[in-house]
Amino acid sequence: MKTKTLLCMGLLTGATAFAQTNVKDSLRVYNLEEVEIVSTRANKKTPVAFTDISKEELLKQNTGKDIPFLLSTSPSILTTSDAGAGIGYTKIRIRGTDATRINVTTNGIPMNDAESHELYWVNTPDLVSSLEDIQVQRGAGTSTNGAGAFGGTINMRTQASSPHKYAEVSGGYGSFNTHKETFRLGTGLIKDKWAFDARLSNIKSDGYRDRASSDLKSYFLQGGYFGTLTTVKFITFGGKEKTYHAWDGVSQEQLKKNRRYNPNGEIKNDAGDVIGFYKNQVDLYTQKNYQLLLNQYLSPNWSLNVGLHYTNGSGHYEEYKNKRTLIQYGLKPYIVNGKEIEKEDLVRRKFVDSGFGGGIFSLDYKGDRLQASLGGGMNYYKNNHFGKVIWIKNYIGDLDPDHQYYDNIGRKTDGNIYARANYDIVGGLSIYGDAQFRHIRYKLNGVDDEWDWTANPAGLQAFDLDKKFNFFNPKVGLSWQINPYHQAYASFSIAQKEPSRGNYTDALFSKQPDSEKLFDYELGYNYANERFSANVNLYYMDYKDQLVLNGRVNEIGSPISENVKHSYRMGIETALAVQIADWLKWDINGTWSKNRIKNYEAYFSDENYEQHAIQWGNSPIAFSPSFMGNSIISADFLGVNIAFQSQFTTRQYLDNLGLKENSLDPYFVSHLHASYKFNIPYTKGLTLGASVYNLFNTKYETNGYAQNSISTDGKTLSFDPRFYAMAGTNFMINARIAF
């Protein structure tokens, strides 16, 4: 750290005087350069697979759906929605890799939760309305801040400040009583130096599935100072969400009866029959993000980016639980009519209260043949987890309305430093090198919500965990610009990732999980001219000690993820774009892949909770289809914009067994978007649009989970999977007027 600080100070001192006389004349009078740790992004010379999605592309689809669904037509991406309509709790996969292995940043600042390793998009609703663009990197990608990218990176950049004042009002209404309202405004440049922007958004939906409602509110504010050599921005954005649980899937039989059924919130009688639903089975969470960003030009070749950030998140979810054992909640059994009641219905709340803050930096050099960066960051995270029982049916005895039954604290320190360079050797050939060192320390102390019957005396599961990790992640590659139309590249990367909180809390008592390691090989070719472009990328992702659910449970019955020694993903990604006419374009992409665990050992539990291990051999990795593809035909003629999107995905397995009984059927689904812009005096235009999702009313599911068992003699397997249904044909109309 001392060396890093001295280097930055020396460069600042030695270069500033030179910069004053040489940089000033080379910059525009109104320097609206956006502040971001730009070195974390890939460019044309970076030998990795990536896709850029522009502000204009995002705007065309921005009708209220979460960001994962706006990225769903990019190569190798699949999305899921608990509520079935793309609003609320949604998730994304890249090359079959789940959200805990996808590193998400905004302006270079990490967004993933430091414990779960996942970004919950529902906590930042309508952030897309304040984005300039998004870059999706597939594979290990470039070194970046935050959790290790173990299959993909999503790099978001907030909107640029406009030199001109503006105002915009937009709204929409559609199926499932979905509506969205957004108001944006900006001051433009004030006294040639200052600019301010703001947004307020409201999104509500009843959801496709029963009671799967969402009530989402969000804001975005930024103020910037734009000097000749210095740009400073303060940005804050946040959201408040209230969603009814749609976290549980339904059986195949239930899908046939009622695809919209949602089992969450069920209230059952003593016979186990459903007699109603709990009205307040909801998740409430508020998140506020703060960023202070600096860009300093030091000379024509050197620039420095620095960012400070803090994120506060707090909330709880409430749920009705049928026939729960009271002692597990720190409550005593009670007597009714001479009978001791040990189990009863209750309502509980589980709380989190987290803070995440730190700083990042990037020192960048751009010369004629060399582009280099030195960057890194240091972040600290703390999260309080605790639970309360707020009501018990027919309870006799004293019940504190805030009866707390578990409490634990997670703390994490995460620091990294990286150096990256791209050097033009000769004739369009350049070499790329990237090396990152990352240090993590994770501590977990207190008692969790799981009851440990094996303890003496029995009680809630206790933790006193202190784990440290040191990772070195090198990357190297070549890029060859053969001529203005042809480019080829190749790269090799190593990425490493620590276990998540859940990997520890649900692990075997006698064995903690190890970190995971990825060796990523990429080979690509690009061709582009005025009318046609094509990309082909081959990848081989070789995993060591990847953590997977294998059906095994720990000593108290919680399903666990265990390290598997060898697994891999290999495939070929293709993308084509044809400008058929000036007004007509066709984009198509597809990914063919093979995803396997070598020598997989699966576990099954019988009715006596005894576990049986079966050597399954080489097996497909869950949620990793052998093919996924997208097609977008778009027309833009005389102010009318029309886009016809289609997506096809082959069978996905819910676990690693590769059995049809536990799988999602292949599906082909299409959407249609249309809009027209009216030129109205005294405005920048009125745009009216309509979207029809699932145009052909396809019945399909994009997510689910397996529930397997085995007979006591170990001979007969049984399967009872659960599924999340997606909405049939539905629509959204919208209007946007700008001033």
Side-chain angles (χ1 to χ4, degrees):
M1 183 62 70
K2 179 183 289 186
T3 302
K4 179 174 67 178
T5 304
L6 289 174
L7 175 61
C8 293
M9 291 177 63
L11 288 167
L12 278 168
T13 303
T16 300
F18 177 80
Q20 296 294 331
T21 57
N22 291 274
V23 181
K24 188 173 181 178
D25 294 336
S26 68
L27 297 178
R28 294 173 297 151
V29 175
Y30 297 142
N31 175 19
L32 295 188
E33 285 290 329
E34 292 311 304
V35 186
E36 183 208 10
I37 309 302
V38 291
S39 63
T40 61
R41 283 205 162 190
N43 56 44
K44 190 176 181 180
K45 293 182 179 181
T46 310
V48 301
F50 69 94
T51 301
D52 288 327
I53 302 96
S54 68
K55 182 177 183 177
E56 291 71 27
E57 292 175 283
L58 294 170
L59 183 62
K60 290 177 182 178
Q61 302 183 66
N62 184 16
T63 59
K65 292 186 182 294
D66 294 345
I67 287 176
F69 277 76
L70 303 187
L71 303 179
S72 61
T73 56
S74 299
S76 301
I77 286 182
L78 291 176
T79 57
T80 66
S81 170
D82 288 1
I87 298 175
Y89 272 92
T90 59
K91 294 185 179 182
I92 188 169
R93 291 178 178 271
I94 299 177
R95 292 182 178 174
T97 298
D98 67 33
T100 65
R101 292 165 166 82
I102 299 171
N103 190 32
V104 184
T105 62
T106 301
N107 301 324
I109 290 171
M111 295 286 289
N112 300 64
D113 181 81
E115 283 193 298
S116 71
H117 298 182
E118 190 171 345
L119 172 61
Y120 299 98
W121 298 94
V122 71
N123 297 335
T124 56
D126 203 28
L127 179 59
V128 66
S129 290
S130 298
L131 292 183
E132 191 67 22
D133 53 32
I134 300 176
Q135 182 177 95
V136 179
Q137 298 178 12
R138 304 184 295 278
T142 61
S143 288
T144 185
N145 302 296
F150 216 62
T153 300
I154 298 175
N155 187 314
M156 301 182 290
R157 184 172 57 162
T158 54
Q159 69 182 65
S161 296
S162 172
H164 309 291
K165 59 185 177 181
Y166 67 91
E168 180 182 290
V169 180
S170 62
Y173 183 81
S175 300
F176 322 122
N177 196 31
T178 300
H179 59 95
K180 173 180 183 272
E181 299 83 33
T182 300
F183 174 63
R184 300 175 61 242
L185 61 83
T187 64
L189 272 178
I190 301 174
K191 296 183 178 180
D192 297 339
K193 294 292 184 182
W194 302 88
F196 300 89
D197 302 270
R199 172 185 57 82
L200 291 174
S201 299
N202 178 62
I203 302 173
K204 288 187 177 181
S205 177
D206 292 341
Y208 167 68
R209 298 178 68 194
D210 298 335
R211 306 175 315 284
S213 60
S214 298
D215 183 354
L216 315 175
K217 295 175 173 59
S218 66
Y219 71 90
F220 176 90
L221 296 169
Q222 71 175 1
Y225 167 81
F226 302 92
T228 304
L229 303 177
T230 305
T231 303
V232 181
K233 266 194 173 184
F234 174 75
I235 300 172
T236 177
F237 59 92
K240 183 177 182 180
E241 63 90 3
K242 180 180 179 181
T243 54
Y244 194 97
H245 298 183
W247 300 346
D248 295 341
V250 299
S251 66
Q252 193 70 258
E253 293 72 24
Q254 184 63 60
L255 282 177
K256 297 175 183 177
K257 296 177 184 178
N258 178 12
R259 294 180 57 80
R260 302 181 70 168
Y261 186 75
N262 177 11
N264 289 102
E266 290 178 340
I267 300 175
K268 299 179 180 179
N269 60 20
D270 291 340
D273 301 320
V274 178
I275 59 174
F277 295 91
Y278 185 58
K279 293 183 179 180
N280 208 40
Q281 188 95 351
V282 295
D283 178 71
L284 299 102
Y285 195 81
T286 300
Q287 181 171 299
K288 299 176 182 178
N289 301 265
Y290 305 93
Q291 300 181 357
L292 180 62
L293 308 174
L294 164 71
N295 176 261
Q296 178 68 50
Y297 285 92
L298 306 176
S299 76
N301 304 109
W302 290 89
S303 64
L304 175 68
N305 296 276
V306 177
L308 301 176
H309 67 91
Y310 181 75
T311 299
N312 172 259
S314 62
H316 70 270
Y317 66 87
E318 184 172 320
E319 56 185 347
Y320 192 99
K321 305 299 291 185
N322 294 277
K323 298 302 178 198
R324 307 299 289 185
T325 303
L326 298 177
I327 193 174
Q328 295 184 15
Y329 294 84
L331 297 165
K332 296 180 180 180
Y334 58 98
I335 307 297
V336 176
N337 297 326
K339 181 181 179 181
E340 185 178 62
I341 306 299
E342 297 181 343
K343 294 184 178 182
E344 190 52 277
D345 298 355
L346 55 81
V347 175
R348 70 184 186 188
R349 287 178 179 170
K350 292 187 173 182
F351 296 79
V352 291
D353 186 2
S354 67
F356 175 60
I360 58 176
F361 82 97
S362 172
L363 180 64
D364 303 317
Y365 173 83
K366 292 183 180 180
D368 294 335
R369 300 176 67 180
L370 175 66
Q371 299 84 44
S373 299
L374 174 68
M378 179 65 72
N379 305 295
Y380 179 75
Y381 172 92
K382 179 181 178 182
N383 196 356
N384 296 325
H385 305 257
F386 56 98
K388 297 180 178 181
V389 176
I390 64 171
W391 175 84
I392 302 174
K393 182 180 178 181
N394 301 323
Y395 190 68
I396 298 176
D398 296 328
L399 177 64
D400 183 343
D402 281 329
H403 172 72
Q404 184 167 301
Y405 67 99
Y406 76 89
D407 185 7
N408 62 79
I409 299 177
R411 298 178 178 88
K412 189 172 187 179
T413 303
D414 188 342
N416 76 93
I417 187 168
Y418 61 84
R420 178 182 304 120
N422 195 95
Y423 182 72
D424 298 334
I425 304 173
V426 64
L429 181 65
S430 61
I431 185 170
Y432 170 84
D434 184 344
Q436 180 200 60
F437 175 78
R438 183 166 174 248
H439 171 78
I440 306 103
R441 183 177 185 181
Y442 178 58
K443 300 173 69 175
L444 178 61
N445 305 98
V447 293
D448 205 7
D449 62 333
E450 295 290 341
W451 189 258
D452 182 5
W453 294 100
T454 68
N456 187 18
L460 290 169
Q461 189 177 5
F463 291 101
D464 186 14
L465 183 75
D466 189 349
K467 298 291 290 184
K468 297 178 182 178
F469 299 91
N470 291 299
F471 297 140
F472 177 63
N473 300 316
K475 303 172 176 66
V476 65
L478 291 171
S479 178
W480 185 20
Q481 190 67 49
I482 303 169
N483 59 40
Y485 305 107
H486 299 268
Q487 184 212 14
Y489 63 86
S491 66
F492 168 71
S493 306
I494 295 177
Q496 299 175 82
K497 180 180 178 296
E498 73 279 13
S500 69
R501 170 191 166 91
N503 296 145
Y504 287 118
T505 58
D506 296 332
L508 290 171
F509 293 177
S510 58
K511 183 182 179 182
Q512 292 181 342
D514 295 324
S515 60
E516 305 169 272
K517 196 169 190 176
L518 166 65
F519 301 91
D520 183 21
Y521 306 82
E522 306 275 340
L523 178 65
Y525 165 78
N526 296 314
Y527 173 83
N529 62 24
E530 294 79 5
R531 290 282 183 177
F532 176 77
S533 66
N535 168 260
V536 179
N537 186 77
L538 287 78
Y539 66 88
Y540 182 77
M541 302 169 68
D542 184 18
Y543 295 91
K544 304 299 181 186
D545 295 323
Q546 184 178 189
L547 284 162
V548 302
L549 287 166
N550 60 3
R552 195 172 185 181
V553 298
N554 65 10
E555 290 83 346
I556 57 176
S558 298
I560 66 174
S561 295
E562 288 194 296
N563 298 101
V564 293
K565 190 173 182 180
H566 296 296
S567 55
Y568 65 89
R569 301 180 186 275
M570 61 184 298
I572 178 171
E573 298 166 322
T574 61
L576 304 174
V578 184
Q579 193 73 47
I580 301 172
D582 291 341
W583 55 273
L584 184 63
K585 186 180 181 182
W586 185 22
D587 293 272
I588 187 170
N589 62 69
T591 301
W592 290 262
S593 65
K594 184 177 181 181
N595 312 274
R596 293 291 185 271
I597 299 174
K598 298 180 180 180
N599 303 316
Y600 179 59
E601 183 177 48
Y603 289 83
F604 300 85
S605 297
D606 63 26
E607 61 183 13
N608 297 321
Y609 306 105
E610 295 292 330
Q611 292 190 277
H612 302 252
I614 298 179
Q615 298 299 322
W616 210 261
N618 295 342
S619 63
I621 301 176
F623 298 103
S624 302
S626 59
F627 176 78
M628 60 183 96
N630 297 281
S631 169
I632 308 173
I633 300 174
S634 55
D636 197 342
F637 185 70
L638 297 178
V640 177
N641 183 273
I642 299 175
F644 178 67
Q645 302 176 348
S646 298
Q647 183 177 61
F648 174 70
T649 302
T650 57
R651 186 171 303 279
Q652 300 178 68
Y653 299 105
L654 302 179
D655 55 19
N656 303 307
L657 302 178
L659 299 177
K660 187 176 180 179
E661 294 92 328
N662 280 350
S663 69
L664 302 172
D665 289 333
Y667 60 85
F668 180 84
V669 62
S670 298
H671 315 296
L672 181 64
H673 307 276
S675 65
Y676 180 77
K677 185 175 182 179
F678 297 87
N679 294 317
I680 299 176
Y682 308 110
T683 75
K684 295 179 182 177
L686 169 66
T687 303
L688 298 179
S691 298
V692 181
Y693 301 99
N694 195 355
L695 186 63
F696 304 115
N697 201 31
T698 301
K699 292 183 178 180
Y700 71 110
E701 300 81 46
T702 60
N703 199 12
Y705 51 91
Q707 298 182 144
N708 306 328
S709 60
I710 195 170
S711 59
T712 54
D713 61 7
K715 295 181 179 180
T716 305
L717 299 178
S718 299
F719 309 99
D720 187 21
R722 294 292 184 268
F723 303 91
Y724 297 83
M726 295 295 291
T729 301
N730 63 99
F731 74 94
M732 190 78 180
I733 57 175
N734 56 83
R736 183 178 68 258
I737 186 167
F739 300 91

